[in-house]
Amino acid sequence: MTSSLLRGRPRRATSHISVRVAHAVLGGAVGVVWLVLPGMTSGGDAPVAIKNPAPGASAAAAEDDDRATVDLVLPLVAVGAAGAIAGYGYLRRVRRTRVRTTPGAAGSPPPPRSSPPLAALDEEACGALVEADNRVRAARTELGFAAALCTAEDLETFRGAVREAENELAAAFRMRQRYDDGVPAEEAAREHTLAGIVGRCTEAGRRLDSVAAEFGRLRGLEREPGGALGVAEARFRELAGRVGASEAVLAGLRERYAPTATASVTGSVEQAKDRLLFATVRLNQARQSADSGRPEQAARHLRAAEDAVAQAAVFVEGVDRLAEELRAAERTVPAALTGAEAELAWVRGQTPPSSPQPPAPGPAAPPPDAPHPGPGAPLAAAGTTPGGFQVRLLHVDAVLGSVRQEVTGGQPGDPVGVLRRVVRAIAPVTSGRAGVLPAAALITARTATEAAADFVATHRGAVGATARTRLAEAQRLLATGAPADRPSADVLALEARDLAERDVRAHGNPYMAAAGAGETAGTGGALLGGIVPAEDPEDGTPAGFAGPTGPARAGRGPE
C-alpha cells in the first residue's frame, strides 16, 4: 500500500515547477515595463530649443542623462536575476528527479541482479553439506542394525547406494575445502563452485532416496517391528554392561597420564549414559506401541532408539580406543625421540655451519612438491633467510631437549602430545631416514582424526559445515597412506575438533530441563546428537534413507 506521502509527492513537485515558472514570467514582465515606461513618459513632450544654456541648465541635463542610464540598467539586472533564479530551480529539479528512489520515478536505479548473492549461495551450500552428511551418517546406522536380520546379499544394493552417496559427499567436502582455501579466486567461479557443492549434496540425497522405499520394505519396521526391536534391545543391554568398564578404564587413564591426554574423552561416559537413558525410554515406547497394534509409531520410536544406542557405542568405544592409542604412543616415544636426535645429528653433520640450506638428503627425502607439515610446524619460513636453517636446528635441539627432560622426569605426561611435538619439530629438517618418525606421525594424526570424528558424530545436531569440512579433509589425507600427508591431517583434525566444540558452545542446549517438563528423558542429548529434529523432538526420527521427517534443518556457516 502506497503511503500518502508518496502519493502526494508528484503533485507537490508539479506545483513547485508552476510557481517557479510564474515567478520567472512575472520578473520578465516587470523588466519589460521598466524598459518601456521611460519612453512612454518622454515621448509626448515637444523639443524645446535652448539657445544659450546656462551653467545650471547644463548640470541639470547631465543629471537627467545619468538617471536615464540607471533606468535602463536596473530593468536588465532584474530580468537577468529572474532568469537565473528560474534556471537554478529547473536544474535543481532535474537533479532531484535523477537521484530520487521513490517507486515509479524517472531515473530510478535498475532492479537488482536476479542471481542470489555470494553470501546466500554460501549459506545454502553449508546447509546442504550438513543435511547430506547427517543423512549419510544415519543411513550407515540403519544398515548396521539391518545387518543383524538381513543377509549380505540383501543389503548389497543399499550398501552400494550409501557408498555412492559417500562419494558425492566426499567430492562436495573436497570442493568446499578448496573454496575455503581461496580456490578459485574469481567471484563467478566461486559462485559456480558453491552451486556445484549444492548439486553434489543433492545427488547424494537422491542416491539414498532411490532405494529408501525398498529399504523400508526390507526392514518392515512399520509392519512387524518385533525382530528389529529385539536386536536394538540386545545391543542396548550389551552397551549398558560396557559403560561401567569404560568408566573404570577412563579412571585409570586419568591416574596414569596428564589431563591433556584424556581431554578428548572427558564426559564421554556421562554422555553415553545420557544416550542410553533416551534409548531406554524410546525402546519402552516402541515395545508398548508394537504390543498395542501401532506399528508405525513403534517404528518411529525404534529408529530414534537405534541411533541413540549407536551414539552411546561411539562414546564407549572412544574411551577404549584412546587407551590403546596412548599405550602405543607411550611405547613409541623413546624410539621417536632417539630417531629424531639421530636425524638432527646427521643433518648437522651434512650441513656446513655457514650454509643456510642442507644438501640434497638423498632418495629417501620427500619430493619437492610434497605437502608441508602445515601451520603447526614451527619456524616454517626460517630457511628462507640467511642462517635460517641454523635457527631451525637450534629450535629442534631445544624442543628435543625439553621432551627428553619431560620424559625422564617421572611425571604423568601426554604420550600423543609428546609425539606431536617431536614430529612437528623435526619435520622441517628431516631427511626421511628415521623410519620411526612416520609411525609417530601416524599415531598423532590417527588419534586426532578419530577423536574429531567421534565428536562430530555424537554432536551432529550442532556442528556446522566448516568443522565437517576440515574433518573430511583430514580423513582424506590420512587415507592416502602417504607419510608426507600425516602432519597436515593432524593439524586439520585438531582444527575440526576445535571448530566443532565452538559450534556446540554457540548452539547451547535449549532442552537442559527436558526431563520433568513433558519431554522424554535425554531429549537434550538426543537433540545435540541430531537423533531427533528440533522441530519434533518427541515423534521425529533420524534422517537416514527416508530423509528428514520434519522441516529441513537450517544450515550453519563458518563459524
Side-chain angles (χ1 to χ4, degrees):
M1 180 177 180
T2 307
S3 66
S4 60
L5 291 177
L6 294 179
R7 288 197 301 267
R9 194 174 208 176
R11 290 192 292 270
R12 288 200 304 269
T14 305
S15 63
H16 291 334
I17 295 175
S18 301
V19 170
R20 293 190 181 97
V21 172
H23 289 170
V25 172
L26 179 61
V30 171
V32 170
V33 170
W34 206 335
L35 287 172
V36 175
L37 185 60
M40 294 176 61
T41 56
S42 60
D45 296 336
V48 178
I50 302 177
K51 296 181 180 180
N52 294 315
S58 299
E63 183 176 353
D64 291 338
D65 291 339
D66 292 339
R67 186 179 298 108
T69 302
V70 172
D71 291 340
L72 290 176
V73 171
L74 289 179
L76 291 177
V77 172
V79 172
I85 293 173
Y88 172 78
Y90 175 78
L91 292 178
R92 184 180 178 187
R93 179 60 188 170
V94 169
R95 284 198 298 268
R96 290 181 59 187
T97 302
R98 288 178 180 175
V99 300
R100 69 180 297 176
T101 56
T102 52
S108 58
R113 295 175 53 189
S114 58
S115 60
L118 197 62
L121 283 175
D122 189 16
E123 184 178 359
E124 181 182 2
C126 290
L129 284 171
V130 170
E131 182 177 342
D133 191 39
N134 287 344
R135 285 196 65 182
V136 170
R137 291 176 183 274
R140 291 196 204 107
T141 300
E142 289 188 272
L143 279 177
F145 280 92
L149 297 175
C150 305
T151 64
E153 292 77 11
D154 293 335
L155 296 177
E156 183 56 35
T157 299
F158 311 107
R159 294 187 191 277
V162 171
R163 283 194 298 269
E164 292 173 355
E166 289 173 342
N167 292 336
E168 294 290 342
L169 184 60
F173 275 127
R174 180 60 181 151
M175 294 170 66
R176 181 69 205 195
Q177 179 63 43
R178 290 173 56 82
Y179 180 90
D180 291 343
D181 291 338
V183 180
E186 299 79 9
E187 182 175 355
R190 290 177 73 81
E191 290 183 2
H192 182 74
T193 298
L194 292 175
I197 292 173
V198 175
R200 291 280 189 175
C201 294
T202 303
E203 181 63 20
R206 193 191 66 79
R207 300 294 175 90
L208 298 178
D209 290 337
S210 65
V211 297
E214 186 179 354
F215 184 75
R217 288 191 296 268
L218 176 66
R219 296 203 71 188
L221 297 182
E222 297 182 354
R223 297 190 311 271
E224 179 52 49
L229 186 56
V231 172
E233 289 172 341
R235 293 196 180 179
F236 169 84
R237 289 190 293 268
E238 176 192 357
L239 277 172
R242 292 176 57 187
V243 168
S246 295
E247 194 169 12
V249 169
L250 183 56
L253 295 178
R254 287 171 175 168
E255 292 179 0
R256 182 177 181 85
Y257 301 108
T260 56
T262 59
S264 61
V265 294
T266 299
S268 292
V269 174
E270 290 75 13
Q271 293 189 69
K273 293 178 180 179
D274 182 73
R275 298 297 193 277
L276 290 178
L277 176 62
F278 178 83
T280 300
V281 177
R282 286 305 174 93
L283 287 173
N284 290 335
Q285 291 174 340
R287 178 65 68 183
Q288 293 170 2
S289 299
D291 293 342
S292 60
R294 294 174 294 170
E296 294 184 358
Q297 187 173 357
R300 290 197 300 271
H301 292 315
L302 177 57
R303 288 187 59 200
E306 288 176 343
D307 213 338
V309 170
Q311 290 195 13
V314 172
F315 286 119
V316 172
E317 292 167 0
V319 174
D320 297 338
R321 186 181 60 248
L322 179 63
E324 296 177 0
E325 294 286 4
L326 288 174
R327 286 193 291 267
E330 192 173 16
R331 292 191 299 267
T332 308
V333 165
L337 188 55
T338 302
E341 290 172 343
E343 181 78 6
L344 180 61
W346 183 85
V347 172
R348 272 209 173 107
Q350 298 296 316
T351 306
S354 60
S355 176
Q357 296 290 346
D369 58 347
H372 58 78
L379 302 177
T384 60
T385 59
F389 192 72
Q390 296 298 328
V391 174
R392 281 184 176 179
L393 296 181
L394 292 174
H395 175 78
V396 174
D397 198 14
V399 171
L400 296 182
S402 174
V403 169
R404 173 71 69 180
Q405 184 177 4
E406 180 180 331
V407 170
T408 58
Q411 297 295 325
D414 180 0
V416 175
V418 168
L419 287 182
R420 182 173 288 115
R421 290 167 60 191
V422 172
V423 169
R424 290 186 174 184
I426 200 67
V429 298
T430 185
S431 64
R433 295 170 64 254
V436 70
L437 294 178
L442 177 60
I443 292 175
T444 59
R446 185 176 59 209
T447 303
T449 302
E450 290 172 345
D454 288 352
F455 190 89
V456 172
T458 54
H459 298 80
R460 66 176 189 251
V463 176
T466 305
R468 299 175 193 236
T469 301
R470 301 298 179 270
L471 173 61
E473 183 67 8
Q475 292 173 327
R476 185 189 71 83
L477 293 175
L478 191 61
T480 63
D485 290 337
R486 292 168 185 171
S488 295
D490 181 45
V491 171
L492 288 167
L494 293 175
E495 182 183 0
R497 175 64 184 260
D498 181 65
L499 291 172
E501 290 179 349
R502 294 183 189 179
D503 289 339
V504 171
R505 288 193 296 269
H507 180 270
N509 190 349
Y511 288 84
M512 288 296 293
E519 288 83 7
T520 301
T523 299
L527 285 169
L528 196 60
I531 298 172
V532 293
E535 299 85 0
D536 189 10
E538 288 302 306
D539 293 324
T541 61
F545 281 96
T549 59
R553 297 170 203 170
R556 298 168 186 86
E559 297 106 4

